[in-house]
Every structure is written in structure tokens, then in C-alpha cells.
Amino acid sequence: QVQLVESGGGLVQPGGSLTLSCETSESIFSVYAMGWYRQVAGNQREEVGYSSPGGYLHYADSVKGRFTISRDSAKNTVYLQMNSLKPEDTATYYCNALFDEGGHKFEFWGQGTQVTVSS
């Protein structure tokens, strides 16, 4: 059973920083693209960004320059460093693992962690 275990959510003031972590197994971490999505109740889940096993990084325009995704292969963990947080960053954040082989997708999700940006 594939597990993505998230941690690090919480309450932070506007302008503050927070780091989310997502740990998985070595077999997933080494071949899957690891990314982050977020969702506000009543809205669609939106992509925040992702990191490929080869090191390619992609970010949504709304977080470019503020959020950074990194991978630690020794810990099979992907991180989302969030700086200059805004109230509109408030959401439940989900870790995602995706492997796409010729259109056949294998995808897994973390349980979600709440991030609230408020004064």
C-alpha cells in the first residue's frame, strides 16, 4: 500500500513562512514526480507545483518566487517551502505522486494538511 505522509501545516501570519513535508517509500520517490496541490472547500483542487525525479521543477504562477519544492533522496521526502504567505494561500495542501508511462497514469495522494494564513 502506497503511503504519502504529510506534515507541517498550521496557522501563520501574512508574510510568514511554513514548510510542508511529504514522506514516502523509496520505490515511489525514485521514479514518481512528487508535487503539491491545494484545495479550498467548494473549489477545485489546483496544482501548486511538482518536482520530477530528474530535478525538473514546475510552479503555478500564483506561487512562483514565493514557494520552493525540494527533494531529499536520503529521506524519501519532498518539501514545500512557502514564504511571503498571503491569506489567499489558505487551503488544504495535498502531496501528490504521479508516474505517467505512455498515458497510463499511476497516482497517489497524501491525506492533506491545513494551512491557514491569517492575522
Side-chain angles (χ1 to χ4, degrees), residues 88-106:
E88 52 263 42
D89 293 317
T90 296
T92 301
Y93 284 70
Y94 295 90
C95 180
N96 173 270
L98 176 66
F99 182 71
D100 188 342
E101 184 176 12
H104 295 281
K105 293 185 177 181
F106 301 86

Side-chain angles (χ1 to χ4, degrees), residues 3 8-9 18 22 36 43 52-53 65 68 77 85-86 89 108-109 115:
Q3 281 191 311
L18 205 60
C22 174
W36 294 91
N43 292 355
S52 75
T68 302
T77 298
L85 282 161
K86 306 174 182 179
D89 293 317
F108 303 98
W109 294 93
V115 173

Side-chain angles (χ1 to χ4, degrees), residues 5-111:
V5 181
E6 301 176 27
S7 61
L11 173 65
V12 62
Q13 292 188 341
S17 298
L18 205 60
T19 300
L20 306 183
S21 303
C22 174
E23 182 179 1
T24 188
S25 65
E26 190 276 338
S27 61
I28 294 296
F29 187 85
S30 62
V31 298
Y32 279 61
M34 301 295 296
W36 294 91
Y37 284 71
R38 64 187 183 185
Q39 187 172 26
V40 176
N43 292 355
Q44 285 191 330
R45 194 170 293 188
E46 65 173 3
E47 181 184 87
V48 173
Y50 66 86
S51 168
S52 75
Y56 176 81
L57 293 170
H58 171 79
Y59 297 98
D61 288 342
S62 58
V63 306
K64 277 181 183 177
R66 300 189 298 121
F67 291 11
T68 302
I69 294 173
S70 60
R71 299 168 72 112
D72 184 339
S73 59
K75 297 181 179 180
N76 298 320
T77 298
V78 63
Y79 301 95
L80 178 65
Q81 172 68 43
M82 303 182 290
N83 298 325
S84 301
L85 282 161
K86 306 174 182 179
E88 52 263 42
D89 293 317
T90 296
T92 301
Y93 284 70
Y94 295 90
C95 180
N96 173 270
L98 176 66
F99 182 71
D100 188 342
E101 184 176 12
H104 295 281
K105 293 185 177 181
F106 301 86
E107 190 169 32
F108 303 98
W109 294 93
Q111 78 279 11

